[in-house]
């Protein structure tokens, strides 16, 4: 890999970590009249899971185009998982950011599963490519 590819990979990993942090912080978002208007009886809005489902697989696929290595392609996914797990359990000041409810499971499912599928697609294309 060239120096440019290493820099792009570093930006992708930092981007995955920042996105995971923002997705965690906005996970309890709901229509309660504070940030969003009061509507639908204060219903939860898991927009973080939608953002995770769209951005994390994209980061994995872009990282997979940089090199044919498994760790290079999986680096954004690993960074995302580490930030969600560590910051979610041991948040700022010891707060528990990742609550034990359906929104946490939805965030993990929407972030990790499509990214694992994208990682499998990257691996299938690199293994099928002639050497």
């Amino acid at each position: 890999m060239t120096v440019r590819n290493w820099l792009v990979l570093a930006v992708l990993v930092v981007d995955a970590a920042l996105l995971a942090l923002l997705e965690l912080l906005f996970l309890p978002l709901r229509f309660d009249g504070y940030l969003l208007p009061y509507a639908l009886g204060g219903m939860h809005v898991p927009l973080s899971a939608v953002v995770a489902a769209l951005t994390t697989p994209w980061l994995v696929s872009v990282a997979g185009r940089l090199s044919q290595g498994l760790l290079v392609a999986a680096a954004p996914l690993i960074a995302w998982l580490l930030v969600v797990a560590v910051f979610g359990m041991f948040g700022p000041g010891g707060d528990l950011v990742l609550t034990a409810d359906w929104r946490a499971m939805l965030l993990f499912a929407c972030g990790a599963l499509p990214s694992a599928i994208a990682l499998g697609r990257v691996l299938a294309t690199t293994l099928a490519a002639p050497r």
Side-chain angles (χ1 to χ4, degrees), residues 7-71:
L7 289 174
V8 170
L9 181 64
V11 168
L12 291 174
V13 169
V14 168
D15 189 26
L18 289 175
L19 280 168
L21 186 65
L22 287 173
E23 290 159 3
L24 269 174
L25 292 177
F26 283 102
L27 188 61
L29 188 65
R30 55 190 218 169
F31 288 107
D32 57 358
Y34 292 108
L35 190 58
L36 295 176
Y38 183 78
L40 305 171
M43 183 179 83
H44 293 281
V45 183
L47 290 177
S48 297
V50 175
V51 171
L54 295 175
T55 58
T56 313
W58 179 75
L59 292 172
V60 168
S61 64
V62 170
R65 285 186 236 137
L66 296 176
S67 172
Q68 293 188 1
L70 171 64
L71 284 176

